[in-house]
Amino acid sequence: MFARPLLRCSQPIRHNIRRYATEGPSAGGSNTLLYSGIAATLAGAGGYYYYSGSSGAVKNERSRENAVSSSEPQTIEPAGPKSKTFTGGDQGWIDLKLQNVEVINHNTKKLRFALNSDDDVSGLQIASALLTKYKGPEMEKPVIRPYTPTSDEAARGYIDLIVKKYPNGPMSSHLHDMEPDQRLAFKGPIPKYPLEENKHKHIALIAGGTGITPMYQLARAIFGRPNDKTKVTLVYGNLTEEDILLKKEFEELENTYPQRFRAFYVLDNPPEHWTQGSGHVTKELLKTVLPEPKEDGLKVFVCGPPGMYKAISGAKPSPSDQGELSGMLKELGYSKDQVYKF
């Protein structure tokens, strides 16, 4: 969706805002979703929209969390210390075997790779990624690309990659062509942003396409920590509804933590009866759904195609250089220190 200029749409953009119910969903049900137009929200809320939960709402969410935790089967960790497949430093490249492949949509697959042993964990931290390397028979030099696994860091014996195949993308094409029992070279972990428990009061995640994977890593970690109270707002842009990755996982977070997590989806080509945003991620949408720049303890994360970075936060010159803040976030009053570009 970001191949064309983000600020140009083929049709008027309709933004819809999610209002959160003050009571948790009933057993076996889903959140009650109420939508109102962005113009009405701007007029009635002075431009910014954010949730301030009542004590009753918080109490209901705690009850919901307790119900979920008590009803879910408990995972029994294997005995013994956890060995890490990836230790970083001078470890070098490690070949992992592809276990299985799951087709997600027309151009996206989930690939599961086996770690060194069934009892190993990956060794990744929050947030970090892995490098992959491949050299085809006619390639002068190998291609190296970073990927953020979507499997839990505590998962033993495997890592999962969600890979979208891009035209003329040598690594994504190779990964899509791989068959079970073939091997791929990995290296890492590559540290990104260290996120400790309750480091921020509120984080905003702005993602496009497969840029959702590091955002999911952050959100999964936050809501997997019993004492972490961080609020999370997600803005996720895609071409079509089919392209929305990890939607089921994010919906589960919304249903379990309705007062702490909310997601806003924007589609370039929405289906009929689509109730959320259409077109591109715009400054008006961000102004409406993100926490105000003056909010204490705020951090905004951005990850997506180059065009998205340019429009929303400014480009990242290199993996070690965040660059200057520009684009929509700067225009809205956010500071360079408040924004992290994956």
Side-chain angles (χ1 to χ4, degrees):
M1 68 172 285
F2 296 101
R4 302 194 304 276
L6 268 78
L7 298 180
R8 178 172 61 84
C9 300
S10 59
Q11 58 179 321
I13 297 178
R14 296 177 292 107
H15 294 300
N16 295 287
I17 308 305
R18 175 165 300 183
R19 191 178 70 211
Y20 288 83
T22 57
E23 297 184 0
S26 59
S30 60
N31 282 342
T32 301
L33 303 181
L34 300 176
Y35 299 96
S36 59
I38 187 170
T41 304
L42 289 172
Y48 287 91
Y49 175 91
Y50 57 97
Y51 181 80
S52 298
S54 65
S55 59
V58 173
K59 183 176 180 181
N60 282 327
E61 179 171 329
R62 288 173 179 167
S63 299
R64 170 70 175 168
E65 292 178 27
N66 291 336
V68 171
S69 62
S70 62
S71 62
E72 291 180 345
Q74 299 298 310
T75 301
I76 300 176
E77 289 285 345
K82 295 180 180 179
S83 176
K84 299 177 180 179
T85 290
F86 299 103
T87 58
D90 298 327
Q91 183 184 37
W93 294 93
I94 298 176
D95 288 343
L96 298 185
K97 181 188 294 186
L98 179 63
Q99 281 188 335
N100 57 64
V101 179
E102 176 187 342
V103 176
I104 295 179
N105 61 32
H106 64 286
N107 64 0
T108 306
K109 293 181 178 181
K110 182 169 77 171
L111 296 89
R112 174 162 294 185
F113 290 88
L115 296 177
N116 282 343
S117 80
D118 291 342
D119 287 337
D120 268 16
V121 295
S122 66
L124 273 73
Q125 309 93 31
I126 305 299
S128 62
L130 293 172
L131 294 179
T132 59
K133 182 175 69 171
Y134 163 70
K135 185 178 184 300
E138 299 181 0
M139 299 172 63
E140 293 184 2
K141 58 182 181 179
V143 59
I144 297 175
R145 293 288 185 271
Y147 284 93
T148 302
T150 56
S151 46
D152 193 284
E153 289 69 35
R156 295 204 183 202
Y158 67 90
I159 56 169
D160 289 335
L161 300 185
I162 290 183
V163 180
K164 182 184 291 288
K165 184 176 181 179
Y166 291 98
N168 302 317
M171 180 60 77
S172 64
S173 296
H174 171 66
L175 287 168
H176 272 243
D177 291 341
M178 288 186 68
E179 299 288 343
D181 294 332
Q182 291 183 322
R183 291 181 173 271
L184 182 70
F186 288 84
K187 187 177 183 180
I190 309 302
K192 295 293 184 176
Y193 185 85
L195 186 69
E196 298 84 13
E197 189 174 278
N198 293 309
K199 182 174 183 176
H200 304 291
K201 293 182 180 178
H202 198 153
I203 68 170
L205 313 174
I206 306 173
T210 52
I212 195 65
T213 55
M215 307 306 196
Y216 179 61
Q217 187 185 58
L218 292 176
R220 188 188 62 239
I222 287 171
F223 294 108
R225 298 165 175 167
N227 297 320
D228 201 324
K229 303 305 178 185
T230 306
K231 292 183 179 180
V232 180
T233 297
L234 170 67
V235 178
Y236 186 21
N238 281 285
L239 286 172
T240 68
E241 187 174 15
E242 186 184 21
D243 293 315
I244 301 176
L245 304 177
L246 298 165
K247 188 176 182 182
K248 178 182 177 181
E249 288 81 355
F250 284 119
E251 286 177 342
E252 289 176 355
L253 291 180
E254 279 191 297
N255 290 336
T256 308
Y257 308 96
Q259 314 307 330
R260 290 178 52 210
F261 179 77
R262 54 185 182 166
F264 300 92
Y265 300 100
V266 182
L267 298 181
D268 201 31
N269 301 305
E272 190 176 0
H273 308 305
W274 176 252
T275 57
Q276 295 211 34
S278 61
H280 299 302
V281 175
T282 65
K283 184 168 70 173
E284 288 73 20
L285 174 64
L286 297 181
K287 183 178 181 180
T288 303
V289 304
L290 296 189
E292 293 188 56
K294 66 181 180 182
E295 182 172 318
D296 183 46
L298 169 67
K299 193 74 175 183
V300 182
F301 296 88
V302 183
C303 191
M308 180 182 183
Y309 280 112
K310 181 178 179 180
I312 291 177
S313 63
K316 183 179 176 182
S318 72
S320 60
D321 184 2
Q322 285 283 300
E324 295 301 316
L325 180 65
S326 61
M328 301 177 196
L329 291 178
K330 183 175 182 180
E331 294 169 7
L332 290 171
Y334 296 92
S335 69
K336 179 179 178 179
D337 292 341
Q338 288 179 307
V339 178
Y340 182 85
K341 308 169 192 177
F342 276 105

